[in-house]
Amino acid sequence: KENIERMRAMNKITQPKACIMGAELRRKKLPESSKIISEDLAYILGVCYGDGCISVSQRRVILSVTDEDFASKFKETIERWSGFKTSTSIRKPNKLYKMHKLQYWTHIDSKEAADFLDKVDINLLLDYNSKIRSALLRGFYDSEGSVKKGDSYKRMGIGGYNTNLELINLVRKLLVSFNIYTTQYFRKETFKSGKQITKRYYIIFINRRESIINFYNHVGFNIKRKQERLEKQVKLIKGVDKNDNRQQR
């Protein structure tokens, strides 16, 4: 009986707060300008189809990543796009949740923002101008991209990963619009325990010299460590090309 009374007393406190929070979320309206396709919107969509999450049920748009500069860029972009303030936190490594590194967590609470982003057909962005297409690709590659060290000509290239084949095909089309050509393959990811995941990871890889330079010129990264590796590859390619030209003379 004491526990029941205690629960009732707690409900009297928590339920009004929950109602207030729900009402606030419903009142948070996106500016009409946010519903027009823009570079900020394209970048946010690229991120959300990668490391980000559009949670309609939680009425949130969330990003949790290990790169602080990536989290800061997403925070800056989504605040500018939506007009809402983000909530941020730093989460320590937790083996239980398979978080092996420090996580930088950023999110906005908005039912309308989550609903709107969830319904945007990103395939339509293929017909927009180069700045829009570039922003979408940059968001995707900030999330799902990897860059080889570039310390030798054999160790160069840019990878992109996702389990969604339709998304991968769209990314390839967007890359081709910048004369960036890829090879594609897939693999099945396995845990350290050896248990195999049923989902396939589709991988697109950029390894042609011209395509790497075009990626650098038209897409690039907001994440410093990835951009530095990309710059290293471009310098190596230009150095190799100079040597080839000298030998031909």
Side-chain angles (χ1 to χ4, degrees), residues 25-37:
L25 288 175
R26 286 191 295 272
R27 282 197 299 269
K28 274 189 172 182
K29 298 294 182 182
L30 280 174
E32 287 303 312
S33 59
S34 297
K35 298 176 183 178
I36 299 169
I37 299 297

Side-chain angles (χ1 to χ4, degrees), residues 105-165:
W105 177 280
T106 303
H107 75 269
I108 60 167
D109 290 303
S110 168
K111 182 180 185 301
E112 190 178 7
D115 284 340
F116 175 77
L117 291 171
D118 188 56
K119 291 174 182 175
V120 174
D121 182 359
I122 60 169
N123 290 286
L124 298 177
L125 273 64
L126 190 59
D127 298 324
Y128 278 78
N129 64 51
S130 61
K131 289 183 178 180
I132 300 293
R133 301 196 310 273
S134 174
L136 179 61
L137 284 170
R138 195 176 306 111
F140 174 81
Y141 273 93
D142 277 350
S143 289
E144 303 286 69
S146 67
V147 192
K148 287 196 172 184
K149 289 183 178 180
D151 51 3
S152 70
Y153 183 62
K154 291 181 179 180
R155 298 184 68 182
M156 289 197 299
I158 305 154
Y161 311 81
N162 205 273
T163 57
N164 185 334
L165 181 57

Side-chain angles (χ1 to χ4, degrees), residues 46-53 62-65 70 142-144 226:
V47 171
C48 287
Y49 275 88
D51 287 333
C53 173
I62 309 161
L63 179 67
S64 180
V65 289
F70 183 15
D142 277 350
S143 289
E144 303 286 69
K226 290 184 180 181

